[in-house]
Amino acid sequence: MTIWQCTMCSTTMEQEEAPEQCSSCGADNRVILDKETIPETLEAVRDRARKNLKGFCAAYPACDGNFDKICQKEAYGKPIGFGGAGAGFSFRANVMALEAVRFKLRVVGEHTEPDTSCTFLGTKLDFPVMAASTAGAERYNNAISEDDFCRAVIRGCKDAGTIGWRGDTFFYTPDDNPALRAMKKEGVPAVPIFKPRSQNVLKRLIHMAEELGAPAVGVDLDGCGSTIMARHNQPVFRKSVKDLKELVQATSLPFIAKGIMTVEDALSCAEAGVKVVSVSNHGGRVLDATPGAAEVLPDIAKQLKGQVIITADGGVRTGYDVLKMLALGADFVLLGRDVIRAAVGAGSLGVRIHMEHIQKILKKAMFMTGVSSIAEIDSSILC
């Protein structure tokens, strides 16, 4: 007999053939593995993701969107998959902007163990990193169902001491929404971020999120340029300050505006009453030739730090990158592509392993730059 283990909830099942679904949590057989093959390290998780995502993503050591990467070779006339829009300049700009940031190595001072804990909108986190609002993972070789992907992110983040944000894509609807369904099944905090659909549809989705106990809701404003939504005739819209005010006033929850890349847009969001401004160029997937998120973050932070919560994503791959974003002005950092790979590689187990690795390296980076708490991080640790 073979012992099978669900990478979503760790339930084990003893039988000859692989179970069709988990007897405990209902996850399907794509996230149920022979216990002998359960990955225990991040390298093993990424190895499984590389096999499952063949043709879309090779889980390279450097996820930078260069022309030699399989994801970017799909850019011309094909769905962008894991890549960036156009020639991928925005994707690469995210990575290059972070590569250009340098730390001051500080080794003289009192010995302390860095404390990475923090609070996001009243929820205590073990470290200031959350999963970004990705969606559509089941369309990558059908390696994981969309419901299990959403559950893996939510549960894996919770197990690692943080929160998963959940996204929106062309096959999500108010009546059939994997993200909201996963939030209900898991029963733990998660932050739904919706595409900029019509105001009425958004209000309905926001109300559903409220009923599920979400700590916040938001709109992916740069999703107005989503190529996949356009390809499937799903209407998305630019939002005015008036539109944002209407959405902010339609909910009792803190409202998040994601996809902000200019001071002007950030100020408009603050004027509308937004509580969280999320600096992001959508992973370089909606407009080519933008700056990297880390390039524009300091100017936005200079204008709005302390008035709103600032999150940032784009090119973040390591705990060192997390510390760079925090030093440049972010209050919290989001991870996108790496979380997809982790979930595809080993369900919620993979997400937990990845997030715990990020926290470990962040803590090391803080130690080597002489920072003992998240509140102490600022640009003084940068060269």
Side-chain angles (χ1 to χ4, degrees):
M1 297 289 279
T2 301
I3 298 177
W4 305 90
Q5 182 172 322
C6 175
T7 60
M8 196 70 69
C9 69
S10 299
T11 294
T12 57
M13 294 152 278
E14 188 173 345
Q15 58 188 72
E16 289 291 348
E17 302 295 330
E20 286 299 316
Q21 64 180 38
C22 175
S23 60
S24 178
C25 74
D28 79 17
N29 58 13
R30 284 169 284 187
V31 294
I32 299 173
L33 306 178
D34 182 333
K35 190 175 181 181
E36 295 293 324
T37 67
I38 292 289
E40 297 181 353
T41 66
L42 183 54
E43 290 82 0
V45 171
R46 288 172 62 84
D47 283 345
R48 290 202 78 254
R50 186 177 295 111
K51 295 172 183 175
N52 290 339
L53 293 170
K54 185 176 181 179
F56 286 94
C57 173
Y60 297 99
C63 175
D64 55 14
N66 275 332
F67 292 118
D68 61 341
K69 302 299 191 297
I70 191 169
C71 63
Q72 204 53 47
K73 290 178 180 178
E74 298 176 354
Y76 293 95
K78 297 180 180 179
I80 61 176
F82 260 61
F89 292 121
S90 298
F91 184 173
R92 290 194 290 283
N94 282 335
V95 177
M96 292 170 65
L98 283 170
E99 285 180 349
V101 179
R102 296 288 184 267
F103 293 123
K104 293 176 182 175
L105 177 63
R106 298 293 302 276
V107 295
V108 176
E110 294 297 321
H111 183 87
T112 59
E113 288 296 323
D115 178 6
T116 62
S117 64
C118 55
T119 301
F120 176 71
L121 297 174
T123 300
K124 292 183 179 180
L125 307 182
D126 287 350
F127 58 116
V129 182
M130 295 174 279
S133 51
T134 53
E138 76 170 21
R139 301 304 167 108
Y140 303 130
N141 288 342
N142 203 27
I144 189 171
S145 75
E146 193 69 16
D147 280 47
D148 283 349
F149 168 65
C150 293
R151 290 181 57 212
V153 174
I154 294 170
R155 184 182 287 233
C157 284
K158 174 183 177 293
D159 290 345
T162 184
I163 295 177
W165 291 21
R166 288 295 74 236
D168 187 12
T169 190
F170 72 96
F171 58 89
Y172 286 36
T173 70
D175 297 316
D176 183 12
N177 191 294
L180 297 179
R181 194 158 51 238
M183 288 172 59
K184 182 176 182 178
K185 187 171 182 67
E186 292 301 315
V188 299
V191 177
I193 304 292
F194 305 112
K195 286 287 189 291
R197 299 172 184 268
S198 70
Q199 294 291 91
N200 288 338
V201 171
L202 284 174
K203 289 177 185 177
R204 182 182 173 193
L205 288 166
I206 288 169
H207 178 65
M208 294 168 71
E210 288 176 332
E211 292 184 330
L212 291 170
V217 293
V219 173
D220 214 352
L221 294 177
D222 58 3
C224 65
S226 169
T227 56
I228 198 165
M229 294 293 280
R231 192 180 307 117
H232 290 88
N233 298 314
Q234 291 291 320
V236 285
F237 307 90
R238 291 171 63 92
K239 298 295 180 181
S240 65
V241 173
K242 179 182 177 182
D243 292 332
L244 289 175
K245 284 182 178 178
E246 183 180 336
L247 295 173
V248 168
Q249 294 167 3
T251 179
S252 59
L253 297 176
F255 193 86
I256 300 169
K258 194 171 186 300
I260 303 305
M261 285 290 288
T262 65
V263 170
E264 294 84 354
D265 277 356
L267 291 172
S268 292
C269 290
E271 178 189 343
V274 163
K275 289 288 188 271
V276 180
V277 168
S278 191
V279 178
S280 172
N281 65 8
H282 212 89
R285 294 167 62 78
V286 293
L287 175 66
D288 207 4
T290 73
E295 292 179 71
V296 303
L297 174 58
D299 287 341
I300 293 174
K302 182 178 180 181
Q303 291 287 331
L304 288 174
K305 189 81 169 181
Q307 299 178 49
V308 297
I309 294 170
I310 299 172
T311 75
D313 67 77
V316 180
R317 306 290 180 258
T318 69
Y320 299 115
D321 292 334
V322 170
L323 184 58
K324 289 177 182 181
M325 284 293 203
L326 295 173
L328 291 171
D331 297 303
F332 297 89
V333 179
L334 305 176
L335 302 183
R337 288 176 173 92
D338 270 340
V339 171
I340 297 175
R341 286 185 278 261
V344 170
S348 67
L349 171 65
V351 174
R352 176 181 64 77
I353 288 173
H354 189 88
M355 284 296 194
E356 288 177 346
H357 177 75
I358 292 293
Q359 182 189 17
K360 175 183 175 182
I361 301 303
L362 169 61
K363 191 172 182 178
K364 176 184 178 181
M366 291 171 63
F367 180 76
M368 296 306 296
T369 53
V371 177
S372 61
S373 71
I374 297 300
E376 292 180 17
I377 300 171
D378 60 27
S379 61
S380 67
I381 69 172
L382 304 178
C383 295

